[in-house]
Amino acid sequence: MTLPQRVHITEVGPRDGLQNEKQPVPVDVKVQLCERLLAAGVGNLETTSFVSPKWVPQMADAAEVLARIPRPKGVIVSVLTPNMKGLEGALAAGVDEVVIFGAATEAFSHRNINCSIAESIERFRPVAEGAQARGVRVRGAVSVAFGCPYQGEVPVEDVVDVVKRLADLGCDEIGIADTIGTGTASHVRRVMEAAARAYPIERISGHFHDTYGQAIANIYASLQSGIHRFDTSIAGLGGCPYAKGATGNVATEDVVFLMNGLGIETGLDLDQLVDAGQRISTFLGRKSMSRAGNALAAKKAAAVAAADATA
Ligand code: HMG
Ligand code: MG
């Protein structure tokens, strides 16, 4: 399989990245993060979630964040919507895309959205229809596609089954997610290739958490399977509150560094991403999880120090 010339990246940092933060992140900080990501060229920004504030308190300010972020022409602003209440909030905020998020295991579905897989599909049906009636894009997500914190191994057929059910709802894109980051390259190829027999491959995306350090390899494996859409998170922020031990998503900076090396266009400015990643990490009081981001920031700091020394 020849690699694509361009990949489509959805930046999920403000949503997946921040949803798991214990300390409250002020709206101002969220808005500044979104502004920096948009300035770096992000074309699809997953900004927040319209979910129950009792379940995910960090996302309770969804409407306010959306009211304050810029909306450059052509940029897709997306949000998570598990039910009709979520859709109402999303439509009132004028988003471009909603994400209905299901799971490949019953155990994870219950823990994350408090219902069975079949019930979730019935809940998503009016959400998808309501969004489509308003010309809003619908993305489906399949969590725990490569391993489940409660069930363990997940049969490929179970992933494909949920892909088919989301496809029947008319999803414009379906994301296959490694929620706990246990997938490895050959497993990823098997799952992606099976999913692509059930749904158009150009509309499948990969969402990789990096808990076991496999995410970059898994993205490369996905590219080899013909996938060219990926979710990434600035500074490698992220984690699902209902998947204990799951750490951050693959870092946007690392993925852009990989793609630049492969000569694959992303439309993203790596310098500006590095800056955005360092700033949000400073706010959160910890080192960025992006290896490329930290290396490039150190290189820049060294160059500035050398210039100061000679000035
Ligand atoms: P429930 O308790 O069964 O829902 O939760 P309910 O309908 O009984 O409502 C309970 C309360 O929540 C009510 O309030 C509702 O009004 C309110 P009360 O009457 O008690 O005051 N409520 C809402 N409020 C705001 N917006 C809403 C909403 N819905 C209900 N949309 C529910 C069911 C789905 C709501 C809950 O389980 C939930 O919010 N879950 C979200 C969990 C979540 O956000 N997880 C993280 C995102 S998924 C993820 O990270 C995975 C992904 O990255 C891919 C991967 O890596 O795997 C996408
Ligand atoms: Mg995730």
Side-chain angles (χ1 to χ4, degrees):
M1 168 79 58
T2 49
L3 299 182
Q5 291 186 330
R6 188 181 174 89
V7 290
H8 178 96
I9 288 183
T10 294
E11 167 60 52
V12 300
R15 193 282 302 172
D16 200 333
L18 296 182
Q19 71 182 10
N20 212 23
E21 287 300 324
K22 299 283 170 285
Q23 58 170 312
V25 179
V27 173
D28 280 350
V29 173
K30 293 178 178 175
V31 171
Q32 278 165 13
L33 174 64
C34 290
E35 285 170 349
R36 291 197 179 103
L37 292 167
L38 291 167
V42 164
N44 188 328
L45 185 63
E46 197 169 284
T47 42
T48 183
S49 303
F50 284 95
V51 296
S52 168
K54 289 182 185 144
W55 284 64
V56 187
Q58 187 66 262
M59 298 285 107
D61 54 11
E64 202 183 340
V65 170
L66 283 161
R68 291 187 40 197
I69 60 166
R71 303 285 182 93
K73 209 167 176 296
V75 170
I76 297 171
V77 167
S78 57
V79 297
L80 264 55
T81 52
N83 53 21
M84 285 306 281
K85 186 161 183 162
L87 179 70
E88 284 156 25
L91 292 179
V95 304
D96 308 294
E97 178 179 69
V98 295
V99 183
I100 46 181
F101 49 106
T105 71
E106 292 292 349
F108 190 79
S109 182
H110 279 284
R111 303 276 180 131
N112 197 38
I113 50 175
N114 205 23
C115 63
S116 68
I117 296 172
E119 284 162 344
S120 74
I121 298 296
E122 288 322 305
R123 248 183 226 177
F124 297 153
R125 194 178 301 283
V127 176
E129 286 169 359
Q132 285 149 356
R134 293 276 292 268
V136 169
R137 206 171 181 270
V138 179
R139 175 153 44 97
V142 186
S143 282
V144 295
F146 304 93
C148 172
Y150 310 109
Q151 176 181 302
E153 283 181 26
V154 179
V156 178
E157 311 83 77
D158 293 1
V159 179
V160 173
D161 181 57
V162 181
V163 167
K164 285 183 180 159
R165 296 196 210 193
L166 289 171
D168 287 344
L169 299 182
C171 285
D172 297 288
E173 176 177 337
I174 296 179
I176 313 282
D178 189 2
T179 314
I180 54 170
T182 51
T184 52
S186 62
H187 186 188
V188 166
R189 289 200 67 160
R190 265 199 317 280
V191 172
M192 290 304 192
E193 286 164 21
R197 288 192 283 277
Y199 187 77
I201 194 161
E202 62 278 7
R203 295 203 264 134
I204 296 179
S205 49
H207 177 109
F208 297 105
H209 285 261
D210 200 28
T211 318
Y212 288 78
Q214 301 301 301
I216 283 285
N218 290 341
I219 285 192
Y220 193 70
S222 305
L223 283 174
Q224 289 180 317
S225 295
I227 304 291
H228 56 78
R229 308 180 81 89
F230 300 101
D231 294 352
T232 68
S233 178
I234 195 73
L237 299 174
C240 177
Y242 298 101
K244 286 279 167 284
T247 58
N249 293 69
V250 67
T252 308
E253 302 92 310
D254 295 357
V255 174
V256 172
F257 190 81
L258 169 74
M259 298 301 168
N260 286 353
L262 291 168
I264 297 175
E265 273 178 52
T266 60
L268 297 173
D269 181 307
L270 185 52
D271 274 352
Q272 291 193 61
L273 289 174
V274 169
D275 184 52
Q278 295 295 310
R279 283 173 188 262
I280 187 67
S281 301
T282 301
F283 170 80
L284 295 171
R286 57 173 190 263
K287 202 169 156 70
S288 163
M289 297 288 284
S290 168
R291 303 280 288 269
N294 290 336
L296 290 166
K299 197 171 158 188
K300 194 170 166 184
V304 170
D308 286 352
T310 53

